[in-house]
Amino acid sequence: MGTITSPAAWARQHHKRIIESCALLGLLLCLLLLVDYPKLPDRVPSHYDHTGLPDGWGQKSVLFVLPVVALVQYGLLTILAHGLGSGVDRGQATPNPSLLLSLLKLEIVWMCTYIEWRTILVARETAAGLGAGFLPMILIILLVILAIVFGYRA
């Protein structure tokens, strides 16, 4: 019979799997956003200004850019992380390179997914821009990554 561990201990033990699962979920969601592609208007936002409002418009085929970017970077960072392995002992003072690449993958995938989602909403005229949640989302992701990185030094 296995030992019972706390949820926090379990999460520390499986953090890389949790991060990888969240990144894969974000990638799948980013690709699923294109399901209604034929129903979308022909003109969609292609660029946003510093306030998150669209300042450039293009053909709806531009909606394939972010999912392709997310998919390519997901694949490349997965291959790179697999090639690096953990690279260090378990008693390390810093996170292993593989974990850092997984965190980078998570951040990029979810940024692409959020921007794609908001772009579709703007194209459908149900939103005005990236929304007030964009900057907080980016900051939260960065803070979580920093917490994980600096948590290894504690």
Side-chain angles (χ1 to χ4, degrees), residues 14-147:
H14 299 285
H15 61 277
K16 189 162 187 290
R17 284 188 191 139
I18 294 167
I19 292 166
E20 287 292 333
S21 297
C22 290
L24 183 59
L25 177 67
L27 180 62
L28 293 174
L29 183 59
C30 191
L31 295 171
L32 280 174
L33 287 170
L34 293 173
V35 168
D36 283 340
Y37 179 80
K39 297 177 186 174
L40 293 173
D42 291 330
R43 197 179 124 193
V44 300
S46 60
H47 190 268
Y48 294 90
D49 66 16
H50 67 282
T51 63
L53 296 174
D55 64 355
W57 295 80
Q59 296 178 344
K60 71 178 179 179
S61 60
V62 77
L63 290 173
F64 288 102
V65 172
L66 286 175
V68 168
V69 167
L71 184 62
V72 168
Q73 73 80 30
Y74 182 92
L76 290 175
L77 289 175
T78 299
I79 292 167
L80 186 58
H82 182 69
L84 289 175
S86 66
V88 290
D89 296 329
R90 282 278 187 218
Q92 63 205 13
T94 58
N96 63 54
S98 177
L99 174 63
L100 293 176
L101 289 173
S102 294
L103 289 167
L104 179 63
K105 182 179 2 179
L106 176 71
E107 180 181 6
I108 293 170
V109 163
W110 278 101
M111 278 194 304
C112 288
T113 301
Y114 183 86
I115 294 169
E116 183 80 0
W117 172 61
R118 293 300 295 196
T119 298
I120 290 170
L121 291 179
V122 172
R124 289 183 174 159
E125 297 180 357
T126 57
L130 292 177
F134 183 68
L135 183 58
M137 180 198 71
I138 299 302
L139 293 176
I140 288 170
I141 291 171
L142 290 174
L143 289 174
V144 167
I145 290 173
L146 287 174

